[in-house]
Amino acid sequence: MHIDDRGYQFADAVYEGVTVRHGRMVDLEPHLDRLWRSMGELRIAPPMDRAPMRFVFSQVIAKNRIENGFLYIQISRGVAKRDHAFPTKPVASSLVVTLKRLDVDGVIARAGKGVKAFSEADIRWGRCDVKSTSLLPNILAKQAAKEKGGFEAVLVDKDGYVTEGSSTNMWIVRKDGVVQTRSTADNILPGITRATLLKLAAELQIKVVEEAFTLEDAKGATEMFLSSSTGCATPIVELDGQKIGDGTPGPIAKRLVEAYQRYMDA
Ligand code: PLP
């Protein structure tokens, strides 16, 4: 990396994270759609078209000979003398693609046990729909949750509503059995796993409403779970030291984990 890369200097960059399962990229096209949208919103020029980019990804997977992994893609505005404003002369955007092994079976096993989470104030900006590498508030929240013994931070806005996790979307199952997750129109990242789980839930005839819920709603829920490309639909069995439901993974999360596993393996 060049020290004047704007990704390095300013986090003037966008990214994606794609799970690779049995050598195949899970939900590649929606990830590419979101990447293109993020670039468009920030006026970062795509470093190449979608077809060659798909080819680069497949080469990275093939050459690393990794069957189950996490493909990380980062695109910055490019290299230019440090100045907050965009470079005056057009520069090529920088593309970085890495692949690391991911223990997908371990993710499923963790989902079978559930995790603990802690609420943290959401101090992020007004464009959380853009998947930008400017992740400092997310990092601080995750670290705070980790230091308390949690796996994830549940971000809460100033009105007491849960927005999402530090790197996950949040879901609850209400006492009436309806699943609730915040709308993507409401300043959160439109998770790709979230969208897939919505489709799988519809197939399983599980009722879902896309509406914001509060931290108190979450604490009174019968189930809570998080979703992300590397987290599947992991149940949250304890929030701020308080059990969710009976403190074990609930039936709806279990059904969604199984359905997601079948979806990845198909
Ligand atoms: N929300 C935030 C803030 C994230 O950073 C992520 C993933 O990195 C997600 C949600 C989950 O998105 P996806 O399901 O596309 O991995």
Side-chain angles (χ1 to χ4, degrees):
M1 291 303 299
H2 196 291
I3 59 161
D4 277 332
D5 190 282
R6 292 179 63 92
Y8 175 66
Q9 293 283 351
F10 296 120
D12 186 3
V14 296
Y15 74 107
E16 275 300 322
V18 181
T19 295
V20 175
R21 179 68 165 162
H22 307 308
R24 261 192 337 108
M25 291 171 269
V26 179
D27 283 332
L28 174 61
E29 295 310 313
H31 279 286
L32 285 176
D33 289 343
R34 189 173 64 184
L35 182 60
W36 252 255
R37 180 179 180 277
S38 296
M39 285 189 283
E41 292 297 312
L42 301 184
R43 294 195 278 151
I44 292 176
M48 60 180 74
D49 286 340
R50 277 172 80 130
M53 201 177 287
R54 280 189 206 100
F55 180 71
V56 169
F57 296 171
S58 60
Q59 286 297 299
V60 170
I61 295 167
K63 288 195 193 303
N64 283 285
R65 284 178 283 155
I66 288 180
E67 281 287 297
N68 298 307
F70 177 69
L71 187 77
Y72 177 79
I73 304 122
Q74 180 172 317
I75 297 171
S76 84
R77 195 178 305 281
V79 175
K81 184 167 166 287
R82 192 177 185 283
D83 180 19
H84 285 62
F86 293 177
T88 38
K89 277 191 232 128
V91 292
S93 51
S94 319
L95 170 67
V96 171
V97 183
T98 62
L99 180 66
K100 300 255 164 68
R101 259 174 244 288
L102 175 70
D103 178 10
V104 178
D105 296 321
V107 171
I108 304 290
R110 187 176 58 212
K113 290 201 210 111
V115 296
K116 293 179 187 174
F118 287 88
S119 59
E120 305 293 337
D122 190 343
I123 58 166
R124 298 173 305 159
W125 67 328
R127 290 304 309 272
C128 297
D129 57 308
V130 174
K131 198 162 169 69
S132 133
T133 60
S134 311
L135 289 170
L136 209 39
N138 308 55
I139 289 165
L140 296 176
K142 174 89 176 201
Q143 182 61 22
K146 190 177 163 187
E147 285 173 8
K148 293 176 199 162
F151 173 76
E152 176 59 307
V154 175
L155 303 181
V156 182
D157 71 12
K158 56 182 183 354
D159 300 317
Y161 284 91
V162 170
T163 52
E164 57 193 319
S166 73
S167 61
T168 58
N169 290 112
M170 288 291 162
W171 308 66
I172 57 170
V173 182
R174 305 190 316 213
K175 288 205 170 69
D176 62 3
V178 173
V179 176
Q180 191 168 345
T181 191
R182 190 178 176 98
S183 159
T184 55
D186 228 351
N187 194 31
I188 58 165
L189 188 80
I192 304 301
T193 318
R194 177 190 179 282
T196 297
L197 288 173
L198 284 177
K199 278 188 223 142
L200 295 173
E203 281 167 29
L204 295 169
Q205 297 184 335
I206 295 170
K207 185 161 186 241
V208 184
V209 292
E210 294 181 70
E211 259 170 51
F213 57 86
T214 64
L215 183 63
E216 288 319 303
D217 293 335
K219 288 183 179 168
T222 56
E223 292 182 44
M224 182 173 193
F225 55 95
L226 57 82
S227 69
S228 75
S229 299
T230 54
C232 180
T234 301
I236 293 173
V237 292
E238 213 185 281
L239 176 56
D240 292 341
Q242 213 174 298
K243 278 184 187 168
I244 303 290
D246 66 1
T248 63
I252 294 198
K254 274 190 196 159
R255 284 172 72 200
L256 288 171
V257 171
E258 282 163 15
Y260 192 74
Q261 206 179 346
R262 282 196 298 275
Y263 175 79
M264 277 196 297
D265 289 346

